[in-house]
Amino acid sequence: MADQAQSVTVTIDGLNVSVPKGTLLVEAAKQVNNEIPVYCYHTKLGPAGLCRICLVEIEGMPKLQIGCNTRVSDGMVVHTTSERVNEGRRAVLEFFLLNHPLDCPICDKGGECDLQDFSMAYGQGQSRLADRKASKPKAVDLGPTIVLDEERCIVCQRCVRFDDIITGERSLVVKDRGHRDIIATAADEPYHSNFSGNVTELCPVGALTSKTYRFKSRPWDLQRTQTTCTQCSVGCQLLVDVREGTVLRTMSVPTDDRISDGWLCDRGRYNIGFYDDARRLSAPLYRDSGHWMQIQWQDAVELWAQAIKDAIAAGGPQTVGVLGGGRLLNEEAFALQHVFRQLGVQNLDWRSGPQRQATPGRSGGLPTELEAAEAIVIVGQGPSETAPILDLRVRKAVLQRGAVCIAVGSRDAEPPYPCKHVATIKDAVAAVPKGAKRIALVWDGVDPQAGRELGNAFAAEPTLRYIAGEQGNARGAEAMGMHPASGPGFAFGSAAGRDFAGMVEDARAGKLHVLCIFGANPALHFPNGNAVAEALERIPFVVVSDLFMTQSAEYAKLVLPAHGLFEKFGTTLNLGGDVLPVNAALNAPQGTLSDLEMIAGLAQALGAQLPGASELAEYVIQSAAATHDLELGDERLCGATPKAALPAQAEGDGTLRVAVQSRIFAGGGTVAHDPWIEQLQPLPQAAVSPSVAQRLGLTTGDCVDLEGAGSTMHDLLIEVRAALPDDVVAVIGGLPDDPANVFGGGALVRIGNIRSAGELAGVPAAS
Ligand code: SF4
Ligand code: SF4
Ligand code: FES
């Protein structure tokens, strides 16, 4: 019920409703379950007043008004279904259909198209046009993800406005005028965006379609399941549409205001093709004398249990390690540590990449709270490539609400919104507007010293804190006790094992005999890839549970085929601290098991106890909600040891320090095994500052090698990036064909083997 002082009462089709003053008529009507038809209007985009399908009759006003851009006033009497209204809408539709093709039988939008639906409700049923319809190009390739049918477009401009208001990228435009107007990209470049798929949902007709879904199905043939995306730590709610056992598309949940704001990033939306990929593992694999052979699950579990028993009997529980990464659900992470802790194993960790901490502690903010911040301070890699939908909240705060964004020592590409670049956290404190009451701190969880410094610098201010790292259910794994120093619910003092870096050291020293890797790929993602490879070589029994033969699985003795996210039930814990439901939308392939089923089998073989389903659910809720006073860079989670000294860089010695950056489409697991999405993997890239580019005579598009620390990265495309410091080269991590972790964190490298963009294109170099 609206506040009386601020509310107005309006009568809509005979029903009285009280709404806050200033409410748009189209929104007020929803309160009485009356959906006024709209095309250009969208709740998140606001009114545009372009299409006029929302005509309504307001008593006392001589002409029909548009419901989407009329604010209600007290005593207003509105008719939305009168004869005059219907006649107005009929005329509007006749105009829209004038040149619209008769495409419904072959249009992907058929069955869920607003033009089809409103034509049925208000249209006149036949055309009065005697001339030929104007024709326009069909199936225009707009970019790597989207196809445009120009004839179907009703120029509502939702797509253009999304790209302006929500992403700030402004790459979509309306070209030409009158009946020739079309949607295009600003510079005729392909439409590239991490959020491109949203325009297909916004498009009220079949003009914008996803390449992944074209001509695949009718909506009534799809079975829909709501679940949570765990491709990153945001936890967007997701609708999974399945037909005959295949995921055909995913859609956003428009009412998910708390987390996704009704959007999805392209990773969450499009990375669905791997479920049916022929490379998927479908039976346990055992490596004997260098050869892989398929074995039965029972044999696999027995071999695994025996290896653990033998290792513990020979050298104690410290010879066993477990790495359980962000693909695990809360229940799986809890069960994993629970079983191994019963055996005395303390070497437990979720940190298979550079991220060290996932839980921000007491003042952790919700995604929705971030958009109300007046100042946002970003330390480390920003969320654009690690938690994309959180990045949209940053954009909303800055572009729509005037927040100030400050990035400290950023290595990221320039964002599509105003952002102050500063060198130190002290500079960031000075850059926060005086009197700003809501300050948000966004940290990537990688450098604990930077995290501590950030927390301390703003200790006196009320802040909202976010850790936007690169692993999906990292916060869940951390809270469930997959940590060498903390049991479930941050029970510090109950554990004292080795973190994964310590396990790598132990392995290289021949002290680790069994390593169990669940849902993680440290060979590709851990900062020192060469050390991990050497460690994995030396461990006698490595077990990997995964969907594919990953870079880490190549070293295993035993590989266990696992269920994917859409094939299991459970919960996840997102970066805002919400426990979110995961629901199976697919039957898993024969021969695979969920990680929980594998852990249960192991527990049985080892005589360890596992809580029953309801008890496990209770433990998960308790552990996720445990009150704790964690700080950013908390020493209890990250360790107190300062970072190992980086190799010294003498001024002018021509070396550059490697900064590894995440990208949403880089990775060796589901991305690399999704035939369609593989093409979205970025090419290896080396970003340098303008002065480094000038010194070496480089321009964007040139191709180079990086050499240093005994390794080489080949064929990287140069990008000249304005905000980069002069001593840094930023490279993309997680690319299977050119892994950036060959150098180890912070290594010094030189740029060599320079080939100019012109040379590569076959243009002879100027003499
Ligand atoms: S392509 Fe779709 S969303 Fe974009 S203007 Fe045309 S009809 Fe509207
Ligand atoms: S932002 Fe993260 S959780 Fe949301 S759709 Fe993208 S990958 Fe999934
Ligand atoms: S929805 Fe009102 S003018 Fe388009």
Side-chain angles (χ1 to χ4, degrees), residues 194-195 228-238 256 259-260 263-269 383 386-391 472 574 664:
N194 283 348
F195 307 102
T228 302
C229 176
T230 60
Q231 297 270 11
C232 86
S233 54
V234 177
C236 299
Q237 295 303 286
L238 198 66
D256 181 28
I259 299 167
S260 69
W263 312 120
L264 291 179
C265 80
D266 283 358
R267 170 83 187 256
R269 181 185 299 277
T386 53
I389 289 295
L390 196 75
D391 184 45
N574 78 339
I664 63 167

Side-chain angles (χ1 to χ4, degrees), residues 620-649:
V620 164
I621 296 293
Q622 280 168 13
S623 307
T627 49
H628 39 74
D629 52 357
L630 297 170
E631 297 294 341
L632 299 183
D634 199 294
E635 292 187 358
R636 291 165 297 176
L637 289 176
C638 303
T641 331
K643 240 186 356 187
L646 295 173
Q649 191 173 22

Side-chain angles (χ1 to χ4, degrees), residues 38-41 49-52 54 66 68:
V38 292
Y39 288 131
C40 64
Y41 177 80
L50 292 167
C51 72
R52 315 202 79 76
C54 60
I66 52 171
C68 71

Side-chain angles (χ1 to χ4, degrees), residues 148 153-159 183 199 202-205 207-208:
L148 166 69
C153 173
I154 58 167
V155 204
C156 70
Q157 298 197 28
R158 277 190 187 180
C159 53
I183 299 304
V199 299
L202 283 170
C203 184
V205 297
L208 294 172

Side-chain angles (χ1 to χ4, degrees), residues 284-302:
L285 298 175
Y286 183 70
R287 188 152 53 105
D288 195 13
S289 313
H291 298 288
W292 289 106
M293 54 183 182
Q294 291 193 353
I295 59 171
Q296 298 292 321
W297 268 106
Q298 198 180 345
D299 298 334
V301 172
E302 274 169 22

Side-chain angles (χ1 to χ4, degrees), residues 422-570:
V422 298
T424 66
I425 288 168
K426 211 170 143 202
D427 298 337
V429 175
V432 169
K434 295 279 167 284
K437 288 192 182 58
R438 292 187 301 274
I439 303 172
L441 310 179
V442 183
W443 176 47
D444 61 0
V446 171
D447 177 359
Q449 253 164 272
R452 288 193 278 272
E453 214 187 308
L454 178 65
N456 291 339
F458 289 93
E461 322 279 344
T463 52
L464 291 165
R465 298 172 182 213
Y466 300 85
I467 300 180
E470 26 80 68
Q471 284 203 44
N473 194 25
R475 183 162 175 176
E478 194 167 80
M480 298 307 129
M482 269 309 302
H483 196 281
S486 137
F490 301 96
F492 292 108
S494 62
R498 301 278 274 163
D499 65 4
F500 185 63
M503 292 183 229
V504 168
E505 265 177 46
D506 284 356
R508 291 167 82 194
K511 294 193 236 164
L512 201 70
H513 298 163
V514 175
L515 178 64
C516 310
I517 301 176
F518 276 71
N521 189 4
L524 188 62
H525 295 290
F526 201 71
N528 193 341
N530 292 340
V532 172
E534 188 193 329
L536 295 178
E537 283 278 13
R538 289 213 60 182
I539 300 169
F541 203 97
V542 175
V543 186
V544 173
S545 149
D546 218 308
L547 281 74
F548 299 101
M549 189 54 93
T550 61
Q551 291 71 13
S552 302
E554 298 285 353
Y555 294 94
K557 187 82 175 161
L558 186 61
V559 181
L560 306 174
H563 288 181
L565 178 75
F566 295 170
E567 296 161 347
K568 54 189 181 179
F569 290 93

Side-chain angles (χ1 to χ4, degrees), residues 50-51 89-100 115 124 128 154 178-179:
L50 292 167
C51 72
R89 290 180 188 160
R90 185 205 60 74
V92 169
L93 277 164
E94 183 175 25
F95 184 68
F96 276 131
L97 292 171
L98 212 55
N99 288 309
H100 197 85
L115 191 58
Q124 62 193 22
R128 290 186 290 163
I154 58 167
H179 75 275

